[in-house]
Amino acid sequence: ARLDARSAQPMAAVTSTTTARRTAAWLAASLTLGALTLSACATAGSTSSTTTTTTLPPLPPTVSAYVALAGAGNNFGFGHFLQKVDLTPGATGLQSRIPTGSYPDAVAVMPNGTRAYVTNYASNSVTPINLVTGKAGTAIPVGEGPSAIAIAPDGLKAYVTNAGTSALGDTVTPIDLRTDKPLPAITVGPGPQGIVITPNGSMAYVSGAGAILSGQSGSVDDQVTPIDLTTGAPEKAITVGNAPIGLAVTPDGGTVFVANLNSESVTPIAVSTNTARAAIAVPGGPIAMVATQSDVWVVDTPATGAKGDNVVDIDLLTSKAGTPIPVGKGAQAIALAPGDKSAWVACLSSQTIVPIDLVTRAAGTPIAVPGGPFAIAIANQPSRTGKTTANHRTTKPKAKKKKKAA
């Protein structure tokens, strides 16, 4: 629920040659380790049976995108799936679609990559998803119109902004991820849209955009509310630009950046003092951001005199915006890939996700994702290891037990 422009079939898993190569390499490693174990047993000079257990190296990780499908065209707002997309080089393709609640608005993945959580704007809930099994768990009730979600670095809690629907929301709901139960809500500014948590897990920052959505009564706001996550208490609001939406925090936790949709600017906030610095102009209405060690990467939507539908970088040394990188129509969200060398942008109108090479600052070939891609998260798949047990012989690796859906 990030933009007033919101009034704007399951796919089979894809089998790739890359997956086959990974499997072949893993089996080769199994045979090699087995041969080494047999050799050790043969030279031991003992007639007794010796059992040796060796842990096999894990398979190389598969990088996947998890894309919230909010619906396309006249069905916008009626989507109810999370689409898994394999981003591994040479193996890109749509995989499973996992059911969510109505109008999935945001998605976040646990630090260990085992679970994802999806906010369902029209269902007033959050769907937990076990990424090992690909199964959705029981929906978690939150406030009205849940928009953004952020997971604490220790993986113990998630925080959901309740932007409201016709009635303007003003709360954040914490969720205990050990039980998947909601905790008492925290009151913040009106129309909370985005949320970000500092890398040390001590503070959250919530953007209060006010009444920016169709049908909401009230005024557009310009506040960001810090929350002390140790006490759960909100602190004094910080004034930023008009209609703050997305946020990003630098890897060192020193600065939070705020996307001011209507001001066509980005405001840096010094975390140490909770003070806003001079706003940085961008070519469009900024809606979402991610931060790396050297840059903040901003998704711009169309605005007065600006074409939008681009990604622009802000150099952290100069605080100046670079040359816009065109992406697909209806650009809505951005997520960093592991390693921070690339990012992917979800584009609602073109129904694509678009890769950005953050080194060369160039867009790559889009992947078509039907169904209205509205939000995106990227993570390595949880690694699976096998064991080979030798009693003068080798056996097949034992599969790890799958966790039950949360």
Side-chain angles (χ1 to χ4, degrees), residues 1 29 43 70 113 158 165 181 233 279 368 394-395:
T43 58
T165 51
K181 301 294 183 184
T394 58
T395 62

Side-chain angles (χ1 to χ4, degrees), residues 343-360:
W344 289 76
V345 181
C347 301
L348 175 66
S349 301
S350 63
Q351 300 195 63
T352 57
I353 58 173
V354 180
I356 303 288
D357 186 322
L358 303 186
V359 178
T360 64

Side-chain angles (χ1 to χ4, degrees), residues 144-239:
E144 188 172 354
S147 181
I149 182 169
I151 296 176
D154 61 10
L156 297 181
K157 290 181 181 178
Y159 295 84
V160 179
T161 60
N162 302 307
T165 51
S166 56
L168 199 59
D170 63 353
T171 61
V172 170
T173 299
I175 297 174
D176 186 333
L177 299 186
R178 292 165 293 190
T179 61
D180 282 351
K181 301 294 183 184
L183 301 171
I186 302 167
T187 301
V188 292
Q193 288 287 330
I195 185 168
V196 70
I197 297 175
T198 55
N200 64 6
S202 65
M203 297 291 295
Y205 290 80
V206 180
S207 57
I212 65 166
L213 306 178
S214 297
Q216 287 185 328
S217 59
S219 60
V220 175
D221 214 333
D222 59 359
Q223 305 286 308
V224 168
T225 301
I227 300 174
D228 184 329
L229 297 185
T230 302
T231 63
E235 298 185 352
K236 182 181 178 181
I238 304 164
T239 301

Side-chain angles (χ1 to χ4, degrees), residues 72-172:
N74 292 333
N75 289 322
F76 180 68
F78 295 96
H80 54 275
F81 286 106
L82 184 71
Q83 175 73 66
K84 180 180 178 182
V85 184
D86 188 353
L87 301 182
T88 307
T92 34
L94 303 184
Q95 296 190 311
S96 58
R97 274 189 177 183
I98 304 167
T100 63
S102 295
Y103 196 161
D105 199 334
V107 56
V109 176
M110 291 271 286
N112 62 10
T114 59
R115 285 184 290 169
Y117 288 82
V118 180
T119 60
N120 307 308
Y121 181 78
S123 298
N124 301 332
S125 66
V126 171
T127 300
I129 296 173
N130 186 320
L131 297 182
V132 178
T133 65
K135 303 294 183 182
T138 303
I140 304 164
V142 291
E144 188 172 354
S147 181
I149 182 169
I151 296 176
D154 61 10
L156 297 181
K157 290 181 181 178
Y159 295 84
V160 179
T161 60
N162 302 307
T165 51
S166 56
L168 199 59
D170 63 353
T171 61
V172 170

Side-chain angles (χ1 to χ4, degrees), residues 205 224 238-241 247-250 254-260 265-271 273-281 289 296 314-316 318-320:
Y205 290 80
V224 168
I238 304 164
T239 301
V240 291
L247 303 105
V249 60
T250 52
T255 307
V256 167
F257 288 84
V258 186
N260 306 311
S265 67
V266 170
T267 298
I269 294 175
V271 171
T273 59
N274 279 345
T275 55
R277 297 171 180 162
I280 303 165
M289 297 181 296
V296 176
I314 295 175
D315 189 307
L316 294 183
T318 65
S319 294
K320 292 183 179 180

